[in-house]
């Protein structure tokens, strides 16, 4: 059974504030309209939601940044927003999440709006979601501009996360150029993938698809440990990562260390699943930060699994803190008192 020494955990916590993680991907503004339902509309057979509260938070790759801030890690952010009010709000929220102005590399487009997803919630239940987005790939000139900025900022980063929501920012050519640059600079690259780009993420540190995404990419259903292990090997042969992680919902997660040919199957630790929104962001964020701060692949995977178990018990794209991680590791018997 995987365990983490308490002394190592505290050493890693101390290192988190000293590193920067560069996040590159699709920025989304999440909006929540929260209220109650007391009647059905006379205009159509739909509930009338009486809005009593509203909030906006970071979604997409922005939730990765939010997760970094929550565990005490500074972020460097590359993404695209529109020249609109939603974009202004998104930038403001990024700045309030421990991102310095000089660490924001935002492409501000005149052609497309900031991606805005509005969720209407009544009595803790999502009534509907309204999406406002235009999926348009970057132009060649925009890619060149991004890569020039990246060549400068990457030197400050301990690791790079590609957070791909297939909204047009991470084009195939940009993905390959970013990974090449990271490898040349000897930076860890971790990827939360999209199926459409699945086998483009070659020569990275780790990829973290869920079992549905991995199965779709391979054209097969993945359920048992043996099927997951075979899938990890098959994917690894194509993209040659240091490791492969497949998250498996109620079955936890599985990690394959390609270099040592070792598997870890870590059971889920979620007590109650309230909302799975953003769980994948939490997994890749905590894993990347803890590996970049010195933990092994297995240890960082254990932390990321515990972290995901915490956030699915919260509403919306939630985050986790250092104290919550330590408490969960202790409660679950994963924390080993140092001798």
């Amino acid at each position: 059974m995987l365990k983490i020494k308490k002394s190592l955990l505290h050493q890693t916590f101390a290192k988190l504030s000293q590193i920067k993680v560069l996040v590159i991907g699709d920025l989304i503004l999440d909006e929540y309209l929260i209220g109650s339902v007391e009647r059905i509309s006379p205009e159509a057979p739909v509930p009338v939601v009486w809005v009593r509260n509203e909030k906006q938070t970071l979604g997409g790759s922005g939730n990765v940044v939010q997760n970094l801030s929550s565990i005490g890690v500074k972020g460097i952010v590359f993404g695209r927003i529109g020249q609109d009010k939603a974009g202004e709000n998104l930038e403001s929220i990024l700045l309030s999440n421990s991102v310095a102005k000089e660490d924001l590399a935002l492409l501000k487009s005149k052609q497309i709006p900031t991606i805005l997803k509005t969720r209407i919630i009544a009595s803790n239940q999502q009534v509907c979601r309204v999406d406002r987005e235009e999926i348009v790939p970057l132009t060649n000139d925009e890619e060149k501009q991004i890569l020039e900025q990246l060549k400068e900022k990457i030197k400050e980063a301990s690791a790079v996360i590609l957070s791909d929501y297939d909204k047009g920012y991470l084009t195939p050519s940009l993905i390959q150029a970013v990974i090449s640059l990271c490898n040349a600079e000897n930076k860890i690259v971790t990827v939360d993938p999209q199926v459409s780009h699945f086998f483009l993420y070659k020569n990275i540190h780790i990829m973290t698809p869920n079992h549905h995404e991995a199965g779709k990419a391979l054209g097969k259903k993945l359920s048992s440990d043996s099927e997951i292990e075979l899938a990890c090997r098959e994917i690894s042969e194509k993209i040659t990562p240091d490791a492969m992680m497949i998250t498996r919902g109620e079955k936890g997660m599985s990690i394959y260390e390609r270099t040592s040919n070792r598997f870890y199957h870590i059971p889920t630790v979620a007590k109650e699943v309230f909302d799975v929104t953003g769980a994948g962001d939490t997994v890749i964020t905590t894993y990347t930060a803890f590996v970049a701060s010195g933990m092994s692949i297995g240890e960082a995977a254990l932390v990321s699994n515990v972290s995901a178990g915490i956030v699915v018990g919260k509403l919306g794209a939630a985050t986790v803190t250092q104290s919550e991680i330590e408490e969960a590791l202790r409660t679950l018997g994963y924390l080993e008192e140092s001798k």
Side-chain angles (χ1 to χ4, degrees), residues 246-315:
I246 296 181
T247 57
R248 304 171 63 185
E250 70 276 3
K251 293 183 180 178
M253 63 169 60
S254 297
I255 301 92
Y256 171 52
E257 276 192 58
R258 187 176 66 88
T259 48
S260 63
N261 197 32
R262 178 186 299 176
F263 278 95
Y264 301 101
H265 297 291
I266 306 176
T268 185
V269 298
K271 293 179 181 177
E272 182 180 359
V273 178
F274 189 71
D275 190 341
V276 297
T277 305
D281 297 327
T282 299
V283 166
I284 196 165
T285 302
T286 48
Y287 175 88
T288 305
F290 280 77
V291 160
S293 298
M295 275 193 177
S296 69
I297 288 171
E299 290 163 341
L302 184 58
V303 170
S304 70
N305 188 57
V306 167
S307 300
I310 295 168
V311 301
V312 295
K314 302 179 181 182
L315 176 65

Side-chain angles (χ1 to χ4, degrees), residues 196-267:
S196 58
H197 298 149
F198 208 85
F199 296 109
L200 292 177
Y201 313 105
K202 294 182 178 180
N203 305 316
I204 58 172
H205 171 67
I206 199 169
M207 184 161 68
T208 64
N210 61 44
H211 62 291
H212 297 299
E213 292 165 336
K216 190 174 181 182
L218 294 173
K220 61 181 78 171
K221 188 176 180 181
L222 305 177
S223 180
S224 67
D225 287 358
S226 59
E227 288 170 341
I228 291 289
E229 290 183 8
L230 188 61
C232 283
R233 292 184 193 278
E234 192 173 338
I235 295 167
S236 294
E237 284 176 6
K238 295 177 183 290
I239 66 170
T240 60
D242 296 329
M244 257 309 291
M245 176 192 292
I246 296 181
T247 57
R248 304 171 63 185
E250 70 276 3
K251 293 183 180 178
M253 63 169 60
S254 297
I255 301 92
Y256 171 52
E257 276 192 58
R258 187 176 66 88
T259 48
S260 63
N261 197 32
R262 178 186 299 176
F263 278 95
Y264 301 101
H265 297 291
I266 306 176

Side-chain angles (χ1 to χ4, degrees), residues 37-291:
V37 173
E38 297 179 3
R39 63 192 179 98
I40 300 299
S41 172
E43 303 164 358
V46 295
V48 175
V49 179
W50 186 22
V51 175
R52 309 301 294 156
N53 187 26
E54 53 187 281
K55 66 176 182 177
Q56 291 184 329
T57 63
L58 299 171
S61 62
N63 190 42
V64 172
V65 179
Q66 207 158 236
N67 273 272
L68 287 172
S69 175
S70 185
I71 58 173
V73 178
K74 292 183 175 64
I76 303 171
V77 184
F78 277 68
R80 177 172 61 176
I81 60 175
Q83 294 185 14
D84 48 26
K85 182 61 177 175
E88 291 173 10
N89 292 349
L90 198 155
E91 184 172 2
S92 176
I93 300 171
L94 282 169
L95 291 169
S96 70
N97 275 272
S98 305
V99 181
K101 185 75 173 177
E102 62 269 21
D103 288 334
L104 275 183
L106 300 180
L107 179 66
K108 298 181 180 180
S109 175
K110 293 180 180 178
Q111 281 72 43
I112 64 166
T114 302
I115 299 172
L116 176 62
K117 296 182 182 293
T118 302
R119 294 168 176 86
I120 301 173
I121 313 271
S123 303
N124 291 328
Q125 295 292 320
Q126 188 173 143
V127 177
C128 73
R129 191 178 90 180
V130 180
D131 288 6
R132 283 162 278 192
E133 64 182 25
E134 296 291 336
I135 300 175
V136 179
L138 295 176
T139 65
N140 290 336
D141 287 342
E142 288 172 334
E143 285 186 26
K144 288 176 185 176
Q145 177 185 332
I146 290 163
L147 286 170
E148 285 303 311
Q149 289 178 295
L150 191 62
K151 285 174 186 175
E152 293 301 316
K153 298 304 293 184
I154 199 171
K155 299 181 189 303
E156 302 173 27
S158 299
V160 176
I161 297 175
L162 299 188
S163 180
D164 193 351
Y165 279 76
D166 206 13
K167 302 298 183 185
Y169 188 85
L170 285 172
T171 61
S173 53
L174 185 62
I175 288 168
Q176 292 167 331
V178 169
I179 294 172
S180 294
L181 180 59
C182 291
N183 287 336
E185 293 287 340
N186 202 27
K187 305 293 182 180
I188 293 170
V189 186
T190 63
V191 179
D192 189 1
Q194 269 295 317
V195 174
S196 58
H197 298 149
F198 208 85
F199 296 109
L200 292 177
Y201 313 105
K202 294 182 178 180
N203 305 316
I204 58 172
H205 171 67
I206 199 169
M207 184 161 68
T208 64
N210 61 44
H211 62 291
H212 297 299
E213 292 165 336
K216 190 174 181 182
L218 294 173
K220 61 181 78 171
K221 188 176 180 181
L222 305 177
S223 180
S224 67
D225 287 358
S226 59
E227 288 170 341
I228 291 289
E229 290 183 8
L230 188 61
C232 283
R233 292 184 193 278
E234 192 173 338
I235 295 167
S236 294
E237 284 176 6
K238 295 177 183 290
I239 66 170
T240 60
D242 296 329
M244 257 309 291
M245 176 192 292
I246 296 181
T247 57
R248 304 171 63 185
E250 70 276 3
K251 293 183 180 178
M253 63 169 60
S254 297
I255 301 92
Y256 171 52
E257 276 192 58
R258 187 176 66 88
T259 48
S260 63
N261 197 32
R262 178 186 299 176
F263 278 95
Y264 301 101
H265 297 291
I266 306 176
T268 185
V269 298
K271 293 179 181 177
E272 182 180 359
V273 178
F274 189 71
D275 190 341
V276 297
T277 305
D281 297 327
T282 299
V283 166
I284 196 165
T285 302
T286 48
Y287 175 88
T288 305
F290 280 77
V291 160

